[in-house]
Amino acid sequence: MRKSKFTESQIVGILKEIEEGAPVVETLRAKGVSKDTYYKWKRKYSGMESGDIKKLRELEKENAKLKKMYAEMALMNEALKDVIEKKL
């Protein structure tokens, strides 16, 4: 997936500008953003502040860490089950 040329703070700023009443089409044209991208951003970042984005990133990192831990535990559990079945 291609990395955005806008930071998350800039994205939130663009969305705030539009929410405050700036014309959508003109703002997007000036910033060089397509309508599709705008609607994706709106779905993901609508109503967020800069601090909320930081929290979102932290939660995503924690979620990735927990998923990795779960995968490792599931593999270990499966291996232990195989050992127990072989002994019986």
Side-chain angles (χ1 to χ4, degrees), residues 3-83:
K3 183 157 171 59
S4 176
K5 64 181 180 180
F6 296 97
T7 64
E8 292 168 332
S9 299
Q10 290 173 327
I11 293 170
V12 170
I14 292 169
L15 293 174
K16 288 273 184 209
E17 185 178 331
I18 292 172
E19 285 176 8
E20 291 173 355
V24 176
V25 177
E26 292 175 17
T27 305
L28 296 179
R29 188 178 303 128
K31 304 291 184 180
V33 178
S34 71
K35 283 185 180 180
D36 292 335
T37 303
Y38 165 69
Y39 288 113
K40 287 178 190 174
W41 288 351
K42 188 175 177 183
R43 184 178 34 209
K44 186 173 182 179
Y45 298 107
S46 182
M48 285 190 165
E49 298 290 330
S50 296
D52 295 337
I53 293 173
K54 199 174 198 181
K55 290 177 189 174
L56 176 67
R57 289 290 157 236
E58 290 174 3
L59 288 173
E60 286 175 346
K61 285 180 183 178
E62 183 180 0
N63 192 25
K65 180 180 173 184
L66 291 173
K67 283 182 179 181
K68 183 178 178 184
M69 286 174 49
Y70 173 77
E72 290 172 356
M73 294 297 286
L75 284 172
M76 189 181 301
N77 187 18
E78 195 66 32
L80 290 173
K81 283 182 180 179
D82 289 342
V83 169

